[in-house]
């Protein structure tokens, strides 16, 4: 991501872990998005705006084996992890890595025929300006794909945990309140903004995700990582009883650890907007 923060953030290491787990668990859904993109020809040059640790970059490199990709992010640690993965996958010869904060200035990125922005646009200080920059960056007829989470993933049943039913929703509400001031475009409808920036909207899609935790042990680790990050934003707004219950879930050695639960499920939605430069 160009701004290296998710909706509930309190540290780079935990964010990298969350990004890696997201890529691992939701790989099939990401492949469905890249397969859906309304491209007229396979792209030769792709720019990933706010690439994080590379989930989208690798999905796109796999989907388009003849393409070269430029990965842009503000975080040197994210880019280090991305390069390590690229070497391990033996695709580093098709990857250019650029460290840049796109709110501060734009480096030379060539003339791509596909620009990809997953969970990064809502972090921009001035997203309308960024949309216009992407429009001008793209080759005529090129495609811009904006992918955003409709909401932060949920994992627990509504009546859990037993001592504080509904805790997860209260945690999200508290964290959302903390972040609402500086992330006003989270959850936005990007269609009208893309049109205003000069794009022609070429399609929208919502990908619903519901994965049973009993079928994938990584979902427990994902839930643990996500709730740890939420705690950093929500702690001051939670009641003492809610905070104690949350800490019980996060205590991996305790009897109430989220890793001990057999009722977890990953529930979220991803929305995709595909827009073309005329």
């Amino acid at each position: 991501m160009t701004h290296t923060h998710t909706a509930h953030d309190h540290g780079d290491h935990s964010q990298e872990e969350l990004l890696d787990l997201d890529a691992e668990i939701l790989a099939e859904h990401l492949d469905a998005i890249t397969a859906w993109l309304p491209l007229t020809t396979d792209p030769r040059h792709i720019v990933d705006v706010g690439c994080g640790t590379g989930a989208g970059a690798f999905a796109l490199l796999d989907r388009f084996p003849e393409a070269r990709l430029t990965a842009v992010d503000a975080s040197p640690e994210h880019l280090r992890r991305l390069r390590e993965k690229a070497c391990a996958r033996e695709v580093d010869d098709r990857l250019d890595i650029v460290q840049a904060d796109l709110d501060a200035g734009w480096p030379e990125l060539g003339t791509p025929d596909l620009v990809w922005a997953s969970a990064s646009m809502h972090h921009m200080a001035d997203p309308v300006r960024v949309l216009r920059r992407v429009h001008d960056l793209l080759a005529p007829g090129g495609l811009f794909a904006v992918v955003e989470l409709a909401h932060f993933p949920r994992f627990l049943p509504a009546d859990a945990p037993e001592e504080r039913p509904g805790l997860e929703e209260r945690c999200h509400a508290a964290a959302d309140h903390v972040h609402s001031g500086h992330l006003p475009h989270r959850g936005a409808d990007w269609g009208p903004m893309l049109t205003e920036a000069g794009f022609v909207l070429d399609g929208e899609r919502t990908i619903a995700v519901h994965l049973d935790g009993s079928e994938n042990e990584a979902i427990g680790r994902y839930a643990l990582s996500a709730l740890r990050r939420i705690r950093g934003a929500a702690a001051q707004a939670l009641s003492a009883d809610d905070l104690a219950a949350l800490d019980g879930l996060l205590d991996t050695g305790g009897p109430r650890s989220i890793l001990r639960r057999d009722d977890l499920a990953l529930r979220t939605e991803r929305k995709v907007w595909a827009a073309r430069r005329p």
Side-chain angles (χ1 to χ4, degrees), residues 34-273:
T34 61
W36 169 82
L37 294 176
L39 292 157
T40 54
T41 60
D42 285 356
R44 305 292 294 185
H45 180 204
I46 304 168
V47 171
D48 185 350
V49 174
C51 59
T53 59
F58 295 125
L60 290 163
L61 287 170
D62 288 346
R63 176 67 60 186
F64 305 111
E66 301 302 316
R68 187 167 192 87
L69 187 142
T70 302
V72 186
D73 202 281
S75 166
E77 184 60 24
H78 287 185
L79 295 176
R80 182 189 67 79
R81 295 273 286 267
L82 174 64
R83 188 177 294 280
E84 288 176 354
K85 292 182 189 179
C87 290
R89 290 169 174 253
E90 298 184 345
V91 294
D92 51 306
D93 60 333
R94 297 168 53 208
L95 183 69
D96 299 307
I97 292 176
V98 177
Q99 183 183 347
D101 181 345
L102 298 183
D103 278 326
W106 281 63
E108 174 55 46
L109 296 174
T111 307
D113 26 37
L114 173 62
V115 174
W116 169 273
S118 179
S120 57
M121 286 303 303
H122 73 273
H123 289 279
M124 301 292 180
D126 187 353
V128 173
R129 181 182 65 85
V130 173
L131 293 177
R132 290 178 178 144
R133 291 298 300 265
V134 171
H135 175 276
D136 294 344
L137 180 72
L138 273 167
L143 195 72
F144 183 26
V146 176
V147 185
E148 289 283 344
L149 283 174
H151 57 76
F152 205 68
R154 268 60 168 172
F155 301 93
L156 292 166
D159 60 355
E162 294 74 7
E163 70 277 19
R164 299 295 295 170
L167 172 65
E168 189 173 28
E169 287 304 320
R170 293 194 295 278
C171 289
H172 282 288
D176 288 346
H177 179 72
V178 169
H179 289 288
S180 61
H182 64 272
L183 291 175
H185 291 91
R186 190 175 61 190
D189 179 359
W190 292 91
M193 285 188 279
L194 286 161
T195 302
E196 183 181 346
F199 290 96
V200 175
L201 201 60
D202 217 0
E204 297 181 36
R205 186 176 181 185
T206 299
I207 305 287
V209 179
H210 191 121
L211 299 175
D212 189 338
S214 65
E215 298 176 3
N216 188 339
E217 62 84 22
I219 288 176
R221 292 186 282 117
Y222 191 9
L224 177 67
S225 181
L227 288 176
R228 280 174 172 167
R229 293 174 61 75
I230 291 170
R231 188 192 189 284
Q236 291 186 342
L238 292 176
S239 70
D241 288 342
D242 274 352
L243 190 58
L246 178 58
D247 286 340
L249 291 170
L250 300 181
D251 179 6
T252 56
R256 299 184 182 277
S257 169
I258 198 164
L259 297 180
R260 295 178 180 269
R261 301 189 68 96
D262 61 4
D263 58 356
L264 299 179
L266 171 58
R267 305 180 304 279
T268 190
E269 287 184 349
R270 287 191 172 174
K271 294 188 176 182
V272 193
W273 293 262

